[in-house]
Amino acid sequence: DIVMTQSPDSLAVSLGERATINCKSSHSILYSSNNKNFLSWYQHKSGQPPKLLISWASARESGVPDRFSGSGSGTNFTLSISSLQVEDVAIYYCQQYFRTPRTFGQGTKVEI
Amino acid sequence: EVRLVESGGGLVKPGGSLRLSCEASGFTFSDYTMNWVRQTPGKGLEWVSSMDYGGTYVFYADSVKGRFTISRDNAKNSLYLYMISLRPDDTAVYYCARDGAAMITDFWGQGTLVTVSS
C-alpha cells in the first residue's frame, strides 16, 4: 500500500497568515503517461462530510476560494492557505488515487 | 443538487452484523463508481470499499475483506454495505461517497455512525 504521511499533525496560525501542510507519499504518484499527480486534498469540518478542495495535486475545485492552492509532484506535496480565515478551521487530508487501496494521510488539524 | 443519504448505523455487539444503505439523488447514479469511507474515533479517514457503475469491479480494504460486502441497486439509486463479524475497531462514521473522473472522490454524504460494543 502507498503510505501517505502529513506534517505537521496540527498547526495554529493567526488570522490572515499563511498555513502550509505537507504530504509525502511512500511511492511516486506521478503517472508518466499524462504527467499528472494522482493526489487530492480534502477539508473536513466537525459535523460535516469531507469536502474536495483540490485534485490532480493542484487543480482547485469549482467554488473553492483561491486562497487554497496545491503544489508538488512525485512524492512531495503541499497545501497552502494564503490568508487563513475563521471558516478554514478544519482537519485537512491528502489522499492518493494512483493505486488501490486509496490511502489518506493521517490529517492535519488547522486552528486559529 | 447532489445528495447522498446514509442510513442503517447503530449499536451492535462484537460479532454482530449490520447493513448500511445510501440513497443517491441529483445525479445519474448508474454512471458513477461509488465508495464507502469511514472515519474512526480519534483517527482519520479510511477507504473501505468501491464498486464501479455496473457492479462488475469491486474492491475492499484488507481490514474488511471477507467480512464486508458492497452492493448496489441502480434501479433504486442505492448503495449498500453489508457488514458481518463486526469488531470494536470497526466503530466509525461510515460515509457513502461518489467518484467523479479518474477515481477522484468528489462528493460525500453526511455519514452514519456504527458503534461496535458489548
Side-chain angles (χ1 to χ4, degrees):
Chain A
D1 297 0
I2 297 177
V3 177
M4 307 299 289
T5 304
Q6 290 181 228
S7 61
D9 289 337
S10 64
L11 185 60
V13 177
S14 300
L15 280 175
E17 295 300 305
R18 173 177 291 271
T20 300
I21 300 168
N22 300 301
C23 175
K24 186 175 179 64
S25 61
S26 62
H27 183 280
S28 176
I29 54 177
L30 172 64
Y31 189 45
S32 55
S33 296
N34 60 10
N35 202 37
K36 287 192 171 186
N37 290 281
F38 283 52
L39 184 103
S40 294
W41 287 97
Y42 295 90
Q43 178 191 63
H44 194 188
K45 296 182 180 180
S46 180
Q48 297 183 21
K51 176 185 175 184
L52 177 63
L53 296 177
I54 287 170
S55 58
W56 304 117
S58 60
R60 199 182 308 116
E61 291 296 297
S62 174
V64 173
D66 61 7
R67 63 180 180 273
F68 291 93
S69 63
S71 63
S73 185
T75 60
N76 290 285
F77 302 91
T78 299
L79 174 70
S80 296
I81 310 172
S82 60
S83 175
L84 194 77
Q85 305 299 305
V86 170
E87 60 267 29
D88 301 334
V89 169
I91 299 175
Y92 292 84
Y93 295 92
C94 60
Q95 184 205 27
Q96 64 81 20
Y97 47 97
F98 183 83
R99 185 181 295 168
T100 298
R102 292 179 248 173
T103 44
F104 293 88
Q106 79 277 20
T108 296
K109 187 175 185 179
V110 174
E111 301 171 300
I112 304 286
Chain B
E1 179 196 4
V2 173
R3 282 196 82 204
L4 297 169
V5 180
E6 301 92 338
S7 61
L11 175 63
V12 61
K13 288 182 168 50
S17 62
L18 211 56
R19 190 178 90 148
L20 306 183
S21 299
C22 169
E23 187 170 339
S25 59
F27 64 102
T28 305
F29 181 74
S30 57
D31 284 348
Y32 289 83
T33 291
M34 298 296 296
N35 307 273
W36 289 100
V37 181
R38 67 187 181 184
Q39 181 186 24
T40 51
K43 295 185 182 179
L45 297 170
E46 180 188 16
W47 169 83
V48 172
S49 182
S50 296
M51 174 173 272
D52 78 314
Y53 62 92
T56 303
Y57 298 101
V58 174
F59 301 95
Y60 296 99
D62 285 346
S63 58
V64 306
K65 206 171 289 183
R67 300 186 300 120
F68 289 13
T69 303
I70 190 173
S71 63
R72 65 191 294 162
D73 185 337
N74 286 341
K76 294 183 178 179
N77 292 332
S78 292
L79 180 74
Y80 307 100
L81 186 68
Y82 185 53
M83 306 181 292
I84 65 170
S85 302
L86 282 162
R87 310 187 298 222
D89 63 357
D90 293 317
T91 295
V93 175
Y94 285 75
Y95 294 100
C96 168
R98 183 187 82 169
D99 276 358
M103 295 196 301
I104 299 167
T105 305
D106 64 354
F107 197 83
W108 306 56
Q110 292 289 332
T112 187
L113 176 62
V114 172
T115 302
V116 184
S117 175
S118 54

